[in-house]
Amino acid sequence: RLLAELADLRASQRQFNEAEGLLDEARDLLEGLLTHASSPWVQSRIINGARDIVLARIRLEGARGPDAGRMFSIIEEARGRALLELLLGTPVSDVQPAAAMQAQERKIAALQGQLFRAKTRAERQRLLDEIFVAEEQLAPLSTVMFSETRGATARRPVRLADLQRTLRAGELFLAFALADPRSYALVATRRTARVQPLPARTALGRLVTSLLERVRAGGDALGEGRALGAALLDPISEIRSATRIVVSPDGELHQVPFDLLVPRSGRPLLDSHVVSYAPSGSVLTILRTRQPSSAPSKPALAVSASPDGPKVPATSASVTRNIYDLDGAQLRPLPSANDEARAVRAILGDGTTVLVGEAATELAIKRQSLDQFRVLHFAVHGIPSTRYPARAALLLRDGSGEDGILQAREILGLRLRADLVTLSACDTGSGIVHEQEGVASLVRPFLAAGARSVVANLWAADDEFSLGLMREFYRQLGDGADVADALRRAKLAMIQRFGPHAVPRLWSGVQVHGDGSATVARPRATSS
C-alpha cells in the first residue's frame, strides 16, 4: 500500500516511469503472497487487501493516456484471478487429498450436521466456534492440496487479442474498473478495442444504491435504470450496433442487473440485448477455448431437496429459497421445487435423472457420474455466507455420513463437464465482494469444477415465480437457444404473462455467468 501511495504521488508529478517501477515492485510482493495462499478464498482476500495497488495502476494508465491492451492486462491481473488459476491448473478432482485432510473434512461435516439440528442460539454459537477451529486446522492441509493443483507451469496471461478472437459478431465485451476521481470501461469487439472514461466511483455508487433500493422495494426502477444507464452506457457508442453484451463488473456493479439499465435508445437492455456476465476476460477466453475430451452423454440431472413439512397454503406469503444461520427448524417447504425438477426432465427428455425428496441426498449426488450430464439443475434452499465464502452452500438431504450441506469447498472437488449449472435458489450469485477480484459466490466453484455456464440469483427467489421462469427457460433451451438468450426470452415471456405483477425483484437477479453462448440441446424439428 505504501508503494501504491508513492506511485500515485509520482504519477501526479507526471513521473510515470518511476510510478510504474514502484507498482511493479508492489506486484512482485503480492505475487509472493499469492503463491503461498492456502485456498482460492484466501487468495481472493489477499487480492482484496491489495486493491490499492490495482487502483493505482488504473489511475496511472488513465493519467498517461489509456491504451486498451495495457488496461486489459492491468484489470486481468486481479479480476477473477483465483478462479483463473484453478482453470489453468490441475483440476481439484484429480488431486487425491491426504487422509488427514479427509478426516478433518468429516469432522467439519459432523459439526455442521449438529449445527443444523441445534435448538438454541447458544448451542449454535458453540458449534460455530468449533467449526472455526476445525477449519483453521484444515488450512495447512488445504495449502498442500492447492499447491498441487497449481503445478510447475507459470500462469500465462491472456492477451486482449486472445479474448477478441473468441467474441462473436455483434458481441460486445465490457470490463469496468471503478476508481476515483474517474472510472473506466474496457470496450472490446472482435475487431476494435478502446478505453472509455466514466464518472467517479463515488458518483456511480450513489446511482447503484438508488437502483437497488427501488428494485428491492418492488418498484419498476425505470427511472433509476435510466440514470445509471446514462452514466455507464451512453458514453459507449458500440452498444447501438451490438446484440449481445458480456459484462465483467467491478465493485458495486456486481450487484447490478444490467437488464434494467436504459441506454440512450430509451429501452431497457433486456428488450434489445442478450446480457451475460464473466468473472474476467481471461476466464471467458478459457471457457470458450478449452476442448473437453468428449461430450457428456446424458441430458440432465435435476435435483429438488425441499424440506419436509406441511404444504404452504395458496393464500400464504410467498416462499423464498434461502435460509439463515443454518436453523433447520425454520426451513419452509418449497412446494414448486419438485415440479421444477420434473419439468427439466419433461423438456430435455429421456436420460434425465431426477432426484426429489428423500432421494436428493448429498451422497446420492456425489455418487452420480456428474461429468456425464450436460445440465445440472438444483431447486433447493441456498445458504449464503459473506464472512466465510467457503461455507456458502446448497442444502440437500443428509444421511450416510454426509451432512446434506454441499459447500463451495466441496463443489470445487466435483468433476463436471456441464454446459449449464442452474442454481434455482436464493443468493447463489451473491457473496462477499473482493473489489477488483470479484464476488466469492457459488458460481465460481462450479465454473472451476468444469461447468461452462452457471445461472444464479443475486437475491431472494420466489418459489412459485421461479417455477414459471424455469419452465420457460428450459423450453427455450429445448428449442435450441443458447443459455443467455434462453434466459432473456424467459424473462420477457414472464413479463408479458404477468404484466406489472412481474416486478424486477422477481426476475432481474437471475443471471448467466461464464460462457452464455453455450447450448444444451439441438433445436426440435418442426413439422411442415
Side-chain angles (χ1 to χ4, degrees), residues 388-468:
Y388 304 103
R391 294 183 190 172
L394 300 175
L395 187 66
L396 307 168
R397 294 300 183 100
D398 60 2
S400 302
E402 297 284 357
D403 57 13
I405 304 169
L406 185 62
Q407 292 191 322
R409 60 175 165 227
E410 295 176 284
I411 294 166
L412 272 184
L414 303 178
R415 189 188 304 274
L416 307 180
R417 286 185 296 163
D419 289 314
L420 168 65
V421 173
T422 301
L423 306 178
S424 187
C426 294
D427 302 301
T428 47
S430 64
I432 186 170
V433 179
H434 291 301
E435 292 292 325
Q436 284 285 332
E437 208 279 334
V439 178
S441 68
L442 283 175
V443 169
R444 293 190 171 201
F446 275 107
L447 290 175
R452 186 173 166 188
S453 67
V454 178
V455 169
N457 202 334
L458 282 174
W459 38 65
D462 179 80
D463 184 60
E464 186 175 352
F465 190 89
S466 292
L467 172 61

Side-chain angles (χ1 to χ4, degrees), residues 3 23-34 46 53:
L3 288 166
L23 290 172
D24 286 343
E25 184 179 352
R27 181 178 57 188
D28 290 342
L29 292 170
L30 177 60
E31 291 294 328
L33 291 171
L34 293 172
I46 292 172
I53 299 170

